[in-house]
Amino acid sequence: MTRQGLLIVISGPSGAGKGTICQGLLQNNKDMCLSVSCTTRAPRPGEKHGVNYFFVGKPHFEQMIANNQLLEYAKVYDNYYGTPRQYVEEKLAMGMDVILEIDIQGALQVKQKYPQGVLIFVVPPALSLLKERLTKRGTDSLETIANRLRCVCEELSNTGRYDYLVINDTVENALDQAEAIIKAEKCRPSRFDITKFLDC
Amino acid sequence: MTRQGLLIVISGPSGAGKGTICQGLLQNNKDMCLSVSCTTRAPRPGEKHGVNYFFVGKPHFEQMIANNQLLEYAKVYDNYYGTPRQYVEEKLAMGMDVILEIDIQGALQVKQKYPQGVLIFVVPPALSLLKERLTKRGTDSLETIANRLRCVCEELSNTGRYDYLVINDTVENALDQAEAIIKAEKCRPSRFDITKFLDC
């Protein structure tokens, strides 16, 4: 029997570098994949069903909510986004580690439905640096950035509910810590079949 | 303020390779030290007080028990052995990680008195291999080995009470896993001062 994969939830404020860490993990680990989300929003040019998203209609999505087929979901403006339970569970059963890169609310929903999931919260070394990164990125107004920073302060009060905190001071350090966390979590006693050891 | 060190408890059956892993950890990590135990047994030639053991008299040891000055202790034949709380706590306060290489009963005592301690149980990949290692070592009678194997079976029923299980198939793998566990444990949210992050 293949050993069940690990569900890894990467969360943290915008600008903390979640995406870079996820990409690094995927590059270094062949037995790892990113979860594909469901959404009711229309595909953008070039986006493929089953690759970027599973594009579904609103009634379909609401049926999935009713049937408990989502590990987490949220409504952003008029569109739903969510993590399909079946897709994730199939990959885990195949022994693949699955990464979810989702927001804090979603992460806490996942932990409730799948307590074995490992929650990693990525933060920049200081709020001042986060402000700098978001400003340099230039995609958000100063007001949006101020709002984001306020949100981060609130989110940080939740860190006790996460399993791990990774300070993204450099990508190398953060990636190294994320890899260590995954390796360590695979050493949890609950993941071993002790009878295999008792061979004499 | 220096960040508190990590208390790492390495336990596991005789012949599992605990000692090799501890030595490897100490070699690779400058901020790590081995705890020095107290004992009432007489020093052997070459043994130094404060290096190999703290050699103390029986009344002194019993006073330490009464004063809750030991993280764990046991009586083996007519001698006491134990881990002095003060020595360990001083090193931890200096930011040093402290390793205890102790038996299972001791490890569970430590976890009770110091729940932040990280318990790693080292096992060989299979009982058949453990039997082989103990036989090759040639220091124990066949009867002793048979007894040891029976004990190991009992001890294995306790693995759920450990934080991590490291299968010592090769020293490199086992050491790599132990290092990952230590790195991961340093990412626990409880070890961070979040106010440091909130700098703006």
Side-chain angles (χ1 to χ4, degrees), chain A residues 13 123-131 149 152-153 156-157 159-167 176-177 179-189 192 194 196-200, chain B residues 13 123-131 149 152-153 156-157 159-167 176-177 179-189 192 194 196-200:
Chain A
V123 280
L127 268 194
S128 54
L129 200 75
L130 184 62
K131 192 176 171 185
L149 292 177
V152 173
C153 290
L156 278 171
S157 62
T159 51
R161 299 173 70 183
Y162 281 77
D163 296 308
Y164 299 97
L165 213 64
V166 165
I167 309 285
D176 184 50
Q177 285 173 26
E179 300 263 15
I181 289 165
I182 293 165
K183 197 176 277 177
E185 281 292 329
K186 292 188 175 183
C187 295
R188 291 288 183 188
F192 288 91
I194 289 297
K196 264 192 183 173
F197 176 80
L198 302 168
D199 66 340
C200 77
Chain B
V123 279
L127 269 194
S128 55
L129 200 74
L130 185 60
K131 193 176 170 184
L149 293 177
V152 173
C153 290
L156 278 171
S157 62
T159 52
R161 298 173 71 184
Y162 282 77
D163 296 309
Y164 299 97
L165 214 61
V166 165
I167 308 286
D176 185 51
Q177 284 172 29
E179 300 263 16
I181 289 165
I182 293 165
K183 197 174 276 175
E185 281 293 329
K186 293 190 175 181
C187 296
R188 291 286 182 189
F192 288 92
I194 289 298
K196 264 193 182 170
F197 176 82
L198 301 169
D199 67 339
C200 77

Side-chain angles (χ1 to χ4, degrees), chain B residues 17-50:
Chain B
K18 296 186 293 292
T20 319
I21 293 172
C22 289
Q23 287 313 316
L25 286 175
L26 290 168
Q27 258 170 30
N28 297 348
N29 299 280
K30 284 182 186 170
D31 292 338
M32 201 175 273
C33 66
L34 205 60
S35 164
V36 177
S37 296
C38 279
T39 184
T40 56
R41 80 153 166 76
R44 292 178 189 148
E47 283 186 343
K48 279 183 187 158
H49 182 79

Side-chain angles (χ1 to χ4, degrees), chain A residues 114-180:
Chain A
Y114 195 86
Q116 316 95 293
V118 178
L119 264 59
I120 302 177
F121 192 81
V122 180
V123 280
L127 268 194
S128 54
L129 200 75
L130 184 62
K131 192 176 171 185
E132 197 186 308
R133 283 187 197 167
L134 290 173
T135 312
K136 270 191 189 162
R137 201 195 259 186
T139 52
D140 301 297
S141 70
L142 286 181
E143 200 193 325
T144 308
I145 292 175
N147 266 329
R148 285 240 168 113
L149 292 177
R150 262 193 295 277
C151 284
V152 173
C153 290
E154 275 179 45
E155 285 171 7
L156 278 171
S157 62
N158 263 329
T159 51
R161 299 173 70 183
Y162 281 77
D163 296 308
Y164 299 97
L165 213 64
V166 165
I167 309 285
N168 190 7
D169 49 357
T170 70
V171 177
E172 292 71 31
N173 278 347
L175 196 51
D176 184 50
Q177 285 173 26
E179 300 263 15

Side-chain angles (χ1 to χ4, degrees), chain A residues 90-103:
Chain A
E90 276 173 10
K91 297 285 179 188
L92 293 176
M94 287 163 64
M96 302 276 287
D97 297 327
V98 180
I99 304 189
L100 302 185
E101 187 195 330
I102 51 179
D103 70 7

